[in-house]
Amino acid sequence: MRRDAGSPSAAGPARRWLRGGQWRRERVVIGLVAVVTLVSAGPGLVPNAGPRLGSLLETFQPWLPLAAVPLAAVAVWRRSALALGLCAAPGMAWLVVHGGTLAADGGRHDLTALQHNVSDVNPDPAGTARQLLAAKADVIALEEVTPGALPAYRKELDPAYPHFAADGTVALFSRHRLTDVRPVDIRPEDVPADWRRGLRATAHTPWGEIAVYVAHLPSVRLSPLSGFGTTRRDESARYLGTAIEAEETERVLLLGDLNSTVGDRGLTPLTSQLNAPDGAFAFSWPAARPLARIDQVLARKARVTHIRALGRTGSDHLPVLAGIRF
């Protein structure tokens, strides 16, 4: 007897697969892969209310596709070729959005800027200074410079960088003359008055005057109870953004430990006004096994053509060296 083409027995392997246990075994993995793919391509889709999960994901965005690795292991265990193949989707989505940053040309630059959080417990400030000298940057910005360590930095750097400015725990060394040096108040309201982590100076360079800002934003904390604690950092970023917005000098250079990556929406008051570097990730923290670049070089009316991390010093951060083109 001939079976009707519309009968269940003629539905074909696809329908039988959907009705069978194979789909039930795969749908959870496929669903999780879809979520990882969306977040890898655009962590900005994740809300930032409450525990600030969005900022946390944006900080470690380069690593998000790795969440598909355990899902791939589950797919292998369940013998699901479909789920295993789809586990490549997060990496592909990330490459579509961010792959261009892997191909920096490191093109021509006019000025080089070095940024380094030297650590307030650095056991060898003089040795750190000598390592930074080897980079031959035009300007060097330092954070966590303690009063006790400052003379060691100055002794090593002053001969090559005769122009110097400092306020609180931040310092700027320059080959070019500095004028109009003043502190920048980026202190969160609930922080003691002696907390001073921002300065501004005008650098007189062959390419004209540049307003150079050095800043160290508050640290963030990750807690299972409160989530990603960025409140103070975000407040400080708003104050710094307001100062830069009011800056009358056309060209601006910001160097600092901003305690986040440029993709973190908490730094929008800065990244909405300043250009971020092209190219490589140049992870700077933690120095032993760098996971993110939280040390930044940003510019207005200039292009940061490239940025790279340098070798370890006595700090828990790596120095970063950037090329600036006007």
Side-chain angles (χ1 to χ4, degrees):
M1 179 177 179
R2 184 178 180 180
R3 296 185 184 276
D4 183 78
S7 67
S9 60
R15 185 173 295 178
R16 289 197 300 272
W17 175 78
L18 288 172
R19 289 181 175 179
Q22 184 73 5
W23 166 245
R24 288 195 297 273
R25 289 196 299 269
E26 293 185 351
R27 61 186 176 183
V28 173
V29 175
I30 292 173
L32 291 173
V33 168
V35 171
V36 173
T37 301
L38 287 173
V39 173
S40 298
L45 298 171
V46 179
N48 217 27
R52 289 179 168 79
L53 180 59
S55 280
L56 177 62
L57 294 175
E58 287 161 342
T59 298
F60 296 102
Q61 185 176 7
W63 305 99
L64 296 183
L66 294 180
V69 173
L71 297 177
V74 173
V76 171
W77 177 58
R78 290 183 176 273
R79 299 180 181 178
S80 172
L82 175 62
L84 181 61
L86 289 176
C87 284
M92 294 173 63
W94 188 94
L95 282 173
V96 169
V97 178
H98 305 284
T101 65
L102 299 174
D105 58 14
R108 181 180 68 82
H109 57 270
D110 301 308
L111 177 146
T112 54
L114 191 153
Q115 149 61 28
H116 191 30
N117 179 328
V118 294
S119 175
D120 55 6
V121 292
N122 191 320
D124 185 15
T128 294
R130 287 191 292 270
Q131 287 181 254
L132 301 182
L133 270 174
K136 299 180 180 180
D138 292 285
V139 293
I140 297 177
L142 305 181
E143 298 81 44
E144 293 197 15
V145 180
T146 64
L150 181 58
Y153 290 112
R154 295 210 61 178
K155 179 180 179 181
E156 299 294 334
L157 295 175
D158 277 359
Y161 297 88
H163 308 285
F164 169 77
D167 189 74
T169 57
V170 297
L172 175 64
F173 293 83
S174 175
R175 296 185 188 276
H176 307 291
R177 183 169 62 93
L178 300 176
T179 62
D180 196 16
V181 177
R182 58 179 183 265
V184 178
D185 187 3
I186 59 172
R187 179 178 63 89
E189 290 186 2
D190 62 344
V191 171
D194 61 351
W195 190 95
R196 305 200 317 275
R197 292 188 179 184
L199 70 80
R200 177 253 185 237
T202 299
H204 299 264
T205 76
W207 305 276
E209 294 183 354
I210 305 170
V212 182
Y213 285 75
V214 182
H216 183 189
L217 302 190
S219 299
V220 299
R221 295 290 183 267
L222 184 60
S223 164
L225 297 178
S226 59
F228 196 42
T230 67
T231 302
R232 287 177 174 173
R233 187 209 62 197
D234 294 351
E235 181 183 355
S236 191
R238 290 194 295 272
Y239 295 150
L240 182 57
T242 298
I244 291 174
E245 185 177 14
E247 175 60 55
E248 295 181 354
T249 303
E250 185 177 53
R251 288 173 173 165
V252 173
L253 191 60
L254 169 61
L255 303 99
D257 175 0
L258 304 187
N259 267 302
S260 193
T261 64
V262 292
D264 186 342
R265 71 194 74 177
L267 298 188
T268 299
L270 304 172
T271 54
S272 62
Q273 304 184 65
L274 303 169
N275 300 314
D278 293 339
F281 296 109
F283 297 147
S284 66
W285 178 90
R289 293 180 179 83
L291 296 173
R293 188 178 75 244
I294 63 176
D295 296 274
Q296 307 296 348
V297 179
L298 308 176
R300 185 176 79 186
K301 296 295 183 180
R303 178 187 169 201
V304 185
T305 61
H306 64 280
I307 188 167
R308 61 186 177 93
L310 304 180
R312 288 192 67 175
T313 68
S315 172
D316 57 341
H317 291 240
L318 297 179
V320 295
L321 180 69
I324 315 296
R325 183 174 180 178
F326 301 111

